[in-house]
Amino acid sequence: MALRNESKEDRAARKQAVKEVKAAKKERKQGIIPEDYGQKECTLCQKKVDLLIRCQTSEEDHAQERWQMVCGSCWNKVSGGVVDGDDKHQHYRYGGLWKNQHKKDAR
Ligand SMILES: [Zn+2]
């Protein structure tokens, strides 16, 4: 599909851009850029994910000022599904979120 009033240079630049996008997609498919690129492991179940919740879950965590990085499903277990914890999860303390910065282009 050629556009009218498009110079030779514009046309070449447009073709080059399309080529680059296609090449990037191909690389991803071939595993040159793995699907889990930039992901981190949950400290409780070791599953690699794009989003981790930083929190403390036990007396030891508080004593050692140790933070866990947990995935969504582990977070539900340690917090009871409440951001600030509930009565059954007295040692739970929320400390922030970690997101995979390489997933900005995720659809
Ligand atoms: Zn987990």
Side-chain angles (χ1 to χ4, degrees):
M1 185 183 78
L3 298 174
R4 266 174 216 183
N5 304 325
E6 192 180 39
S7 73
K8 259 189 187 173
E9 288 75 23
D10 285 346
R11 192 177 150 81
R14 185 165 57 85
K15 278 199 165 180
Q16 184 60 29
V18 170
K19 236 187 207 175
E20 278 168 16
V21 168
K22 277 189 181 165
K25 267 190 191 165
K26 203 171 164 193
E27 278 184 5
R28 206 158 199 143
K29 263 191 189 161
Q30 287 172 337
I32 294 166
I33 304 167
E35 268 305 306
D36 62 357
Y37 184 73
Q39 290 189 342
K40 273 192 190 175
E41 270 182 17
C42 166
T43 52
L44 298 181
C45 73
Q46 276 76 51
K47 195 174 86 177
K48 281 192 157 190
V49 293
D50 294 316
L51 180 74
L52 291 168
I53 297 109
R54 182 173 180 264
C55 60
Q56 292 179 322
T57 62
S58 64
E59 245 174 283
E60 294 92 85
D61 286 348
H62 291 286
Q64 297 171 31
E65 289 184 35
R66 181 179 65 192
W67 290 91
Q68 309 285 345
M69 301 298 282
V70 306
C71 68
S73 51
C74 289
W75 177 78
N76 271 317
K77 282 179 221 158
V78 298
S79 71
V82 183
V83 175
D84 295 316
D86 59 16
D87 292 344
K88 286 175 199 150
H89 303 83
Q90 297 270 350
H91 298 297
Y92 169 77
R93 187 191 290 163
Y94 175 79
L97 280 180
W98 174 85
K99 281 177 195 165
N100 184 355
Q101 293 303 311
H102 299 287
K103 284 278 169 170
K104 274 179 189 160
D105 60 342
R107 272 138 289 191

